[in-house]
Amino acid sequence: MATEVAGFLRQTSLLRSAPAADLEAIAAASRLRTFRRGQVVFTAGDPGDTLVVVFSGRVKVVVRSADGGELTLTIIGPGGTLGELSVADGGPRSADAETLEECRLLFVPRDTVRDLCARVPSVALALTGSIAAALRRLTEAAADLVFLDLPRRVAKVLLAQPRGEDGIIRLKMNQEELAHQSGGTRQSVNAALRGFERRGWIEVQNRAVTVKQPTALGRFADH
């Protein structure tokens, strides 16, 4: 198992530059856990004592209001990591993390990552780059919430999803998850999707969304 985990870590952007011996040591010091769909990984305020590597599945990172409102900050897939900020500053978790499907998650002790960063500058740079990328993403999302109307925010979320080999985007989230990521209600997101469908930009069948004209949708989002 440790060899399998070390091989997987070699494929991540954060740890790909680490020496093989260090990857083996990380694998031995870490815990691989399986989570069901909808299970909480951690909540805001929890101790940030581990780096979480997504081995399989998808995890959403969210913030919640006192009245139950939810905003999805990002969705992390295989090879992605959560908790870089806590690794860097030793602080508690700043958001909640919840699985969107069955997941296998690797929990790497914070001290193990910090020790590696101290000895391997390229890993420290990768950690800094990951935190910087998250900051840029949050800055853009904050600007979108202030300056863009909901339909354009929905369009940007749709366009941010992976495309198939044919260039078409087939959404892998339901409308409630789309609402959480775009900062709207399910009803308002549904209205935006219907508007896109009338224009021929997307197709909605059995609640599955397919982006048929990403260029036209992109022009609308950037207007």
Side-chain angles (χ1 to χ4, degrees):
M1 176 63 72
T3 301
E4 177 190 0
V5 171
F8 180 81
L9 293 176
R10 171 69 68 192
Q11 301 173 36
T12 66
S13 59
L14 184 60
L15 296 170
R16 64 175 50 143
S17 64
D22 284 312
L23 292 179
E24 293 282 353
I26 290 173
S30 304
R31 291 182 301 128
L32 185 62
R33 295 179 54 192
T34 300
F35 287 76
R36 301 181 306 275
R37 180 182 183 275
Q39 196 169 352
V40 173
V41 180
F42 56 72
T43 59
D46 285 351
D49 53 1
T50 56
L51 176 76
V52 184
V53 183
V54 180
F55 210 84
S56 64
R58 293 181 302 142
V59 178
K60 65 177 180 178
V61 180
V62 303
V63 289
R64 294 184 169 94
S65 64
D67 61 359
E70 181 177 314
L71 177 65
T72 299
L73 302 179
T74 189
I75 295 176
I76 309 297
T81 53
L82 304 83
E84 296 94 333
L85 185 60
S86 293
V87 169
D89 69 0
R93 305 296 190 191
S94 57
D96 300 350
E98 182 180 315
T99 58
L100 288 171
E101 55 201 40
E102 183 175 305
C103 294
R104 297 172 71 200
L105 306 178
L106 185 72
F107 291 79
V108 185
R110 173 179 177 268
D111 290 343
T112 300
V113 181
R114 288 180 62 88
D115 175 70
L116 182 62
C117 288
R119 293 184 292 100
V120 185
S122 59
V123 175
L125 286 173
L127 178 66
T128 302
S130 181
I131 294 172
L135 178 59
R136 290 180 185 276
R137 184 177 62 248
L138 291 175
T139 300
E140 181 179 358
D144 288 348
L145 285 171
V146 174
F147 299 121
L148 295 183
D149 58 22
L150 179 69
R152 286 181 169 79
R153 298 202 304 271
V154 172
K156 291 193 71 171
V157 173
L158 290 175
L159 292 168
Q161 306 311 306
R163 303 190 184 195
E165 294 181 357
D166 53 7
I168 295 178
I169 299 170
R170 295 175 177 83
L171 199 63
K172 293 184 177 179
M173 64 176 72
N174 59 37
Q175 290 188 19
E176 184 176 9
E177 293 166 355
L178 181 56
H180 290 161
Q181 197 163 354
S182 58
T185 64
R186 184 172 180 175
Q187 292 78 9
S188 59
V189 166
N190 182 62
L193 293 176
R194 294 303 175 188
F196 298 159
E197 191 172 30
R198 286 193 297 270
R199 293 178 172 91
W201 298 342
I202 70 171
E203 182 178 65
V204 181
Q205 288 187 339
N206 299 324
R207 299 184 179 181
V209 180
T210 300
V211 179
K212 300 174 65 178
Q213 297 187 33
T215 300
L217 191 63
R219 284 197 298 265
F220 171 79
D222 292 335
H223 180 67

